[in-house]
Amino acid sequence: MFLSHDVDQIHDRELFRVLADLNHVRRIWTQGEKGDVALALRRVARALVAPKPAEKDFGTILEIEARHGFRSTFFVLHDPYWSRNGPRYRLTCPEIRRIADLVRGAGCEIGLHGGYLRFNQADGYRESRAALRDALGVDAVGIRNHFLRFSGAETWAAQEAAGFRYDATFGWADQLGPRDGQRLPFVPAGRSILELPLTVMDVTLFRNLGLAGEAALDAAWRAIEPVVQAGGLVTLLWHNNYFNEPEYRDWQWTYERLLERLAALKPWCATGVEIENHWRAVAENSALDAPQASV
Ligand SMILES: [Zn+2]
């Protein structure tokens, strides 16, 4: 089992975030977008008056996972701050360093969240990898691209050329369950990079499919069950910035319930790099062509 988090933003009081929240309020009013105006406005007010410390949501995630002895991987975004769909923080800010310390202190992994426009560029990936090394002392082994940006062989080739040993981008944003029915990690034809396919992403459930409460939990579980039954790899992607948020309470609630249900199955839960190491060790020691991943 593979728990993961894409770190798109960390600051509560941040221009793009406040503008996005205000836009969300406008769309609730004018376009009937799902949401709670009072809670959304309270979120903006909090950001302006008493912003949430950047580390808080990470502490919450680690605490939720530690209840079951689980650890996870955090993919940290690198791209220019002002770019369209860029990260809303800088790798040099003190908060992300404190977050990195917190995450690594808990035995979790930091990987790269690949930038929106550089997803097929080996040089872009190399630059991001170096930035992560310089700022946080992380030698990233794994990657997942922002917005699940992915175009198949080209993406894998660029990631591999930049030195990544596994990718976790393979999934759909608008539907649940593994893309192309891929329930196990796999090495794409002609490549050496290992793919860890996605099973359920928070944004798919709550935003793209518009689910809420028990219905969201049930839908997620229906996507997870066949993967469990096939002895496959269950991969969850939950964004850090929807924790401790009254307006998005279902997001955190569903994550907590899913971990409880999964914990009851006594899975082997590991970080991406541990799964990668394990998979390659099994592949090497096995006489079989297709190694079984017991995760
Ligand atoms: Zn992202």
Side-chain angles (χ1 to χ4, degrees):
M1 182 170 102
F2 178 35
L3 304 177
S4 66
H5 310 281
D6 290 357
V7 184
D8 297 341
Q9 45 175 286
I10 60 169
H11 300 300
D12 205 13
R13 183 191 287 167
E14 195 271 334
L15 178 66
F16 288 105
R17 174 136 156 185
V18 171
L19 289 177
D21 280 341
L22 290 173
N23 242 328
H24 168 56
V25 170
R26 182 183 58 80
R27 287 193 305 262
I28 296 174
W29 268 325
T30 61
Q31 295 166 24
E33 182 171 287
K34 229 178 113 196
D36 184 312
V37 171
L39 290 177
L41 287 174
R42 204 177 299 167
R43 186 170 127 101
V44 172
R46 180 199 67 207
L48 299 177
V49 176
K52 187 164 65 168
E55 299 94 319
K56 184 174 175 178
D57 301 337
F58 294 86
T60 302
I61 291 170
L62 296 176
E63 185 272 315
I64 291 169
E65 292 169 355
R67 286 174 202 164
H68 311 289
F70 294 161
R71 289 172 299 114
S72 58
T73 297
F74 294 77
F75 294 102
V76 171
L77 185 57
H78 172 258
D79 225 0
Y81 182 82
W82 295 103
S83 63
R84 187 170 156 77
N85 295 312
R88 300 317 178 201
Y89 57 93
R90 291 184 174 86
L91 285 183
T92 48
C93 75
E95 290 89 344
I96 194 73
R97 287 185 211 185
R98 289 203 294 269
I99 288 165
D101 288 345
L102 194 68
V103 161
R104 280 181 297 190
C108 295
E109 178 195 10
I110 292 179
L112 177 73
H113 197 29
Y116 189 79
L117 291 176
R118 54 180 83 203
F119 74 109
N120 276 349
Q121 303 167 9
D123 284 346
Y125 281 142
R126 276 190 204 103
E127 189 193 320
S128 295
R129 208 156 171 260
L132 217 52
R133 196 180 301 125
D134 293 346
L136 306 176
V138 169
D139 213 358
V141 171
I143 180 165
R144 177 186 289 123
N145 288 333
H146 195 30
F147 283 82
L148 303 183
R149 297 269 284 172
F150 175 81
S151 68
E154 245 185 298
T155 307
W156 281 319
Q159 291 172 334
E160 212 176 278
F164 291 104
R165 296 213 307 268
Y166 79 85
D167 171 66
T169 310
F170 197 76
W172 301 116
D174 56 356
Q175 50 182 281
L176 301 166
R179 177 172 174 164
D180 299 349
Q182 292 280 6
R183 293 166 176 169
L184 281 170
F186 65 96
V187 173
R191 302 252 65 95
S192 63
I193 195 166
L194 183 69
E195 182 58 49
L196 305 182
L198 179 62
T199 316
V200 175
M201 167 164 79
D202 54 359
V203 172
T204 309
L205 268 183
F206 303 103
R207 188 159 294 152
N208 300 346
L209 298 178
L211 298 169
E214 297 277 352
L217 178 61
D218 289 348
W221 194 249
R222 277 198 303 276
I224 289 169
E225 253 183 338
V227 180
V228 171
Q229 276 157 15
L233 176 72
V234 173
T235 302
L236 302 185
L237 159 51
W238 248 249
H239 290 77
N240 58 286
N241 49 298
Y242 297 107
F243 285 81
N244 298 310
E245 291 293 341
E247 195 191 355
Y248 299 100
R249 68 172 88 75
D250 280 7
W251 299 45
Q252 178 173 337
W253 179 83
T254 302
Y255 190 60
E256 294 183 53
R257 299 295 84 75
L258 285 177
L259 293 206
E260 283 165 7
R261 287 190 186 188
L262 286 161
L265 304 174
K266 308 240 178 297
W268 179 58
C269 178
T271 61
V273 63
E274 289 166 350
I275 293 168
E276 192 260 349
N277 281 329
H278 171 80
W279 194 92
R280 294 206 195 267
V282 170
E284 243 172 57
N285 295 330
S286 171
L288 298 169
D289 290 337
Q292 295 297 306
S294 55
V295 285

